[in-house]
Amino acid sequence: MSESTVLVLGSDPPPKLDRLAGRARVIFTDEDSLADRLPTADVLLAWDFTSDAIRRAWPETGPRPRWVHTASAGVDQLLCPALIADDTLVTNARGVFEQPIAEYVAGLVIAMAKDFYGSWELQRQRRWQHRETLRLAGSRAVVVGSGPIGRAIGTTLLALGVKVDLVGRRERRDDPEFGLVHASDALNGLLPQEDWVVCAAPLTEATRGLFDRAAFSRMPPRARFINIGRGPLVVEDALVAALREWRIAAAALDVFEQEPLPSNSPLWDVPHLIVSPHMSGDTLGWRDALAEQFQDNFDQWSAGKPLHNLVDKRLGYVPVR
């Protein structure tokens, strides 16, 4: 194969693509220049995976990249009708973020159960106040999203003694780790019995606004809610009301409808809500891992072999095999 043109959206900091030297011409672009440069590229690397510029700039007709890779697990920021309809391949960063996110969720669950926040606050006040905390073993969690991230979260919680109900798009009764994977329409019936509700679902038209006022009203008052999926999966006003009215015990959000979260957002001041800036999967060295993953897939593409992490564009994620 002759030298390919790899267009990279975003360069802060730039990816380390040393293995492409002599094999590809790497061009960096910003959002303003993207539309003009797309027709000249063979491959597009969405390094800035928070940008929706690809969705806005993707050409309806004419030349366009044959392969788009996003340095994220979710593909909702780039999919648009024209990209879904054409024959361009789309891949994602499946495999990089699963265990870090699972550890992050486990940390939140332990911190909530053991009231670490309360201990830190009492320490700040120099107050000695004995309390009783929750036991994790024997508690119950529903993890919504049966892809690699949801599965990693589920297996990590299982190791803590938590009973896990995993929810996917379709029911599966022969899962090697969880036995039964519940269908999405079973979620409403599961919520009333759960101590922990973890959202790890992809953002699709079917899941947008999944956790609304009705969903929070089905949770028991002891429930703690965690979202590490995508912000629009949650109706934020409904969550704020559920927390302020003590209809659920606590929550943690790592993703939001608008990012960065504005300084005037009411979410900053909601009682018993932990806010983190979309960092659950970002561990030391994560950008290098993303660059290596893309270069591994470029090797596949250059050799005419099937790409890893091929997204079903109509579903909006990599199907579970």
Side-chain angles (χ1 to χ4, degrees):
M1 178 182 287
S2 60
E3 187 178 70
S4 303
T5 298
V6 175
L7 185 64
V8 181
L9 173 62
S11 59
D12 185 24
K16 297 177 182 178
L17 302 176
D18 300 345
R19 287 165 49 193
L20 301 189
R23 305 168 61 201
R25 187 166 62 110
V26 179
I27 300 173
F28 290 90
T29 186
D30 58 18
E31 294 184 350
D32 295 336
S33 303
L34 179 63
D36 291 335
R37 289 178 168 170
L38 276 175
T40 69
D42 299 297
V43 179
L44 173 62
L45 168 58
W47 188 247
D48 179 5
F49 52 80
T50 65
S51 172
D52 64 354
I54 297 171
R55 196 165 56 211
R56 293 184 277 109
W58 195 258
E60 296 282 346
T61 59
R64 78 281 309 273
R66 290 174 284 157
W67 167 34
V68 176
H69 177 81
T70 180
S72 67
V75 295
D76 50 281
Q77 286 291 86
L78 60 91
L79 287 182
C80 60
L83 177 52
I84 292 172
D86 69 23
D87 58 0
T88 298
L89 302 176
V90 174
T91 56
N92 73 352
R94 174 176 175 172
V96 173
F97 298 109
E98 287 87 332
Q99 193 55 39
I101 291 177
E103 293 169 3
Y104 200 86
V105 170
L108 287 170
V109 167
I110 292 172
M112 289 180 179
K114 302 307 176 184
D115 192 27
F116 288 166
Y117 179 84
S119 293
W120 290 326
E121 178 59 23
L122 289 167
Q123 178 181 341
R124 188 186 66 81
Q125 299 175 22
R126 297 174 178 262
R127 291 174 57 196
W128 181 275
Q129 182 178 322
H130 182 270
R131 290 108 62 223
E132 295 176 344
T133 61
L134 301 175
R135 182 175 180 177
L136 282 180
S139 67
R140 192 169 208 99
V142 60
V143 178
V144 184
S146 61
I149 292 175
R151 296 183 68 86
I153 292 169
T155 54
T156 303
L157 293 179
L158 285 173
L160 294 173
V162 179
K163 300 174 183 177
V164 176
D165 295 310
L166 186 64
V167 173
R169 193 166 62 96
R170 299 186 307 272
E171 181 182 281
R172 298 195 300 277
R173 291 186 170 273
D174 56 353
D175 188 87
E177 293 171 302
F178 299 92
L180 172 65
V181 176
H182 300 271
S184 57
D185 59 8
L187 178 61
N188 287 344
L190 292 170
L191 289 176
Q193 64 187 2
E194 306 293 345
D195 302 289
W196 310 95
V197 180
V198 183
C199 181
L203 178 61
T204 67
E205 287 309 307
T207 59
R208 186 179 296 274
L210 177 64
F211 288 95
D212 55 10
R213 184 176 182 85
F216 290 117
S217 69
R218 292 186 181 97
M219 299 178 194
R222 68 179 184 277
R224 274 91 172 160
F225 174 77
I226 298 171
N227 184 22
I228 50 78
R230 282 291 185 266
L233 295 165
V234 176
V235 178
E236 292 177 351
D237 288 346
L239 174 60
V240 169
L243 288 167
R244 290 196 184 281
E245 296 166 12
W246 291 98
R247 287 186 279 113
I248 62 172
L253 298 178
D254 187 55
V255 288
F256 303 87
E257 183 83 38
Q258 182 179 350
E259 297 182 7
L261 188 65
S263 60
N264 62 351
S265 170
L267 293 171
W268 292 109
D269 301 312
V270 176
H272 303 284
L273 174 63
I274 298 172
V275 169
S276 58
H278 204 149
M279 58 180 282
S280 61
D282 301 347
T283 53
L284 294 175
W286 67 287
R287 290 185 178 89
D288 291 343
L290 289 171
E292 284 299 307
Q293 181 187 60
F294 171 72
Q295 291 175 109
D296 288 345
N297 232 0
F298 186 86
D299 292 342
Q300 293 288 111
W301 187 76
S302 299
K305 297 179 180 179
L307 292 173
H308 304 303
N309 297 353
L310 190 62
V311 172
D312 183 322
K313 294 186 289 184
R314 299 196 179 276
L315 291 177
Y317 51 86
V318 179
V320 177
R321 304 298 181 188

